[in-house]
Amino acid sequence: MDWQDTGFFLSAKPYGEHAAIASVMTKHHGKRSGMIWNAKSKKMASILTEGNQLSIVWRARLHELLGTFKVELEKQRTEIVFSGPIALNALNSICTLLDSLLPQFDPHRKLYTETVRLLDKINSTQNWLIDYLEWEILLLKEIGFGLDLEKCAVTNSEKNLAYISPKSGCAVSKEGAGEWASKLFPLPQCMLSGKVKEQEEILDGLQITGHFLKKGFHPHSGLPKLPHSRLRLESSIRKKLSK
């Protein structure tokens, strides 16, 4: 059996002398893996770059098998690499999080669409960090750790939302927090409005989403950690803000 789709490259692991097992995020078939036999050729090396948009043909005898990929380049995104450390770390973080957290086969069409939009926006001169933060919020929802920022978990009020519970991911108002305020995360208003007044809000928001992303990696670990690419993103933003 076989299928054709469009998608973007996530990662590849060497297999033998010339091949690699590649991971891609596709529009209609979700995250998929497949063998690319000529992965180490000069032509394929330029194609198999994180974020590159590909035309993909997958073939295998059965749906459950690894299968093989035939890929052609649709759109190159290597310019992100030269856009500075924040952009590069964001690209690496996007690909690593998708590759690590999403199961095989399950389609995530909204997440796919929003990821392509984000990858294209990173190259623009617009402020895209709020888009990245919203993307992580969407990713959390897709993997079952969605945040509830619509109303206060204590009072049901939609007003004065100022905190978020580190356990439930639910918003809490100033009135609902009471004496528990010190044990809650302050809720950056950009996570509610989608607009950034101070860039520090982005970093505060990423620390919140990072807290919940850890659960996707190590739900039962006492010392969960995020991927290095995600940690480098926070570090590069913090470094820029400190200047």
Side-chain angles (χ1 to χ4, degrees):
M1 62 177 300
D2 64 87
W3 49 256
Q4 298 182 23
D5 207 342
T6 183
F8 50 89
F9 179 77
L10 297 177
S11 68
K13 297 180 180 179
Y15 185 87
E17 293 185 8
H18 305 290
I21 298 175
S23 179
V24 298
M25 177 69 175
T26 68
K27 185 175 183 179
H28 300 292
H29 295 84
K31 190 190 80 172
R32 299 299 292 265
S33 295
M35 188 77 71
I36 297 180
W37 292 109
N38 59 337
K40 296 186 180 180
S41 67
K42 290 183 178 180
K43 178 182 177 181
M44 292 305 298
S46 63
I47 293 176
L48 301 181
T49 301
E50 287 184 328
N52 276 358
Q53 196 74 22
L54 308 174
S55 173
I56 302 165
V57 177
W58 178 89
R59 290 189 175 92
R61 287 192 303 106
L62 297 173
H63 174 76
E64 298 82 6
L65 297 179
L66 176 65
T68 60
F69 281 144
K70 180 180 179 181
V71 299
E72 294 183 3
L73 183 64
E74 288 186 349
K75 182 176 183 178
Q76 211 164 27
R77 293 194 174 96
T78 51
E79 63 269 23
I80 296 177
V81 175
F82 304 103
S83 298
I86 295 179
L88 175 59
N89 290 328
L91 171 63
N92 293 336
S93 180
I94 290 168
C95 293
T96 301
L97 290 174
L98 291 175
D99 199 20
S100 303
L101 293 175
L102 293 184
Q104 291 275 345
F105 308 120
D106 293 347
H108 295 269
R109 291 186 177 89
K110 182 177 181 181
L111 180 61
Y112 173 86
T113 299
E114 290 303 309
T115 306
V116 170
R117 187 181 71 85
L118 175 58
L119 289 172
D120 290 338
K121 197 169 185 180
I122 290 177
N123 295 328
S124 73
T125 57
Q126 302 177 55
N127 180 8
W128 52 267
L129 281 175
I130 183 61
D131 298 273
Y132 179 89
L133 177 59
E134 291 177 341
W135 177 85
E136 285 200 351
I137 293 173
L138 174 60
L139 176 60
L140 284 169
K141 181 179 179 181
E142 294 285 312
I143 64 173
F145 295 99
L147 307 181
D148 185 357
L149 306 179
E150 298 295 323
K151 59 184 179 181
C152 175
V154 179
T155 66
N156 267 348
S157 173
E158 298 178 0
K159 298 180 179 180
N160 298 323
L161 300 179
Y163 303 96
I164 183 169
S165 168
K167 291 185 177 181
S168 67
C170 296
V172 181
S173 66
K174 291 181 180 179
E175 295 77 10
E179 62 184 26
W180 298 98
S182 62
K183 297 185 178 181
L184 304 174
F185 288 130
L187 178 58
Q189 291 304 296
C190 68
M191 294 180 72
L192 300 174
S193 66
K195 299 179 180 179
V196 182
K197 292 184 178 180
E198 301 290 340
Q199 289 298 315
E200 285 78 5
E201 288 183 292
I202 296 292
L203 194 57
D204 293 339
L206 290 177
Q207 290 173 339
I208 291 173
T209 54
H211 170 81
F212 290 100
L213 284 170
K214 290 177 184 178
K215 295 184 178 183
F217 285 96
H218 309 282
H220 306 297
S221 173
L223 294 172
K225 294 182 180 180
L226 289 171
H228 291 300
S229 58
R230 176 57 170 74
L231 295 174
R232 287 195 298 268
L233 175 60
E234 277 194 45
S235 178
S236 60
I237 296 173
R238 187 177 293 107
K239 184 177 180 180
K240 181 179 179 181
L241 292 176
S242 66
K243 292 183 178 179

